[in-house]
Amino acid sequence: MIVIENGDPSLRAYLAEAVSIFLGRYLNLDVPFVHRKSNSIRIFLKDHKSDMDVPPGIRKNFGTLDYTFKEIRSKPDFWTSLVERYRLQRYERINLTGMYLNPFSRGRFLM
């Protein structure tokens, strides 16, 4: 069992998920149950043998942040530069897909 207490609730939730993903992937542990209180998160652990990257209990209790971690690891330069651009522009940046910038895409014309 792991207990994460006090501090910012969002940071506490993020740390609980990150630690659980690490333990699931590298130590073959699963999370059958999570008990959340106003100032703590208690994570119950059990052995889990599987070929999956992340055991199902972790996805059930925490969601799919492991996909986000995989994406960041696969393209670190891109994500670092994107975060840096947003930070420098104080998150007042707007991104549009190429479909909206190309006047001939899908028969649309932008004026």
Side-chain angles (χ1 to χ4, degrees), residues 82-96:
L82 184 67
V83 169
E84 190 63 24
R85 284 184 204 145
Y86 270 88
R87 191 182 64 75
L88 288 173
Q89 296 174 7
R90 296 187 177 128
Y91 298 93
E92 294 180 9
R93 179 182 175 88
I94 298 173
N95 285 329
L96 298 173

Side-chain angles (χ1 to χ4, degrees), residues 8-64:
D8 181 65
S10 297
L11 179 59
R12 190 171 51 240
Y14 170 77
L15 288 175
E17 185 169 357
V19 166
S20 296
I21 290 170
F22 174 82
L23 294 174
R25 182 172 290 146
Y26 297 108
L27 298 180
N28 295 321
L29 295 173
D30 196 5
V31 176
F33 182 71
V34 176
H35 184 70
R36 292 174 172 90
K37 289 186 176 181
S38 63
N39 67 340
S40 69
I41 297 176
R42 189 175 301 237
I43 305 165
F44 295 87
L45 302 166
K46 71 174 185 175
D47 286 332
H48 179 78
K49 304 284 188 227
S50 175
D51 294 337
M52 293 178 58
D53 285 340
V54 175
I58 293 173
R59 287 211 174 110
K60 176 183 166 235
N61 288 295
F62 292 107
T64 56

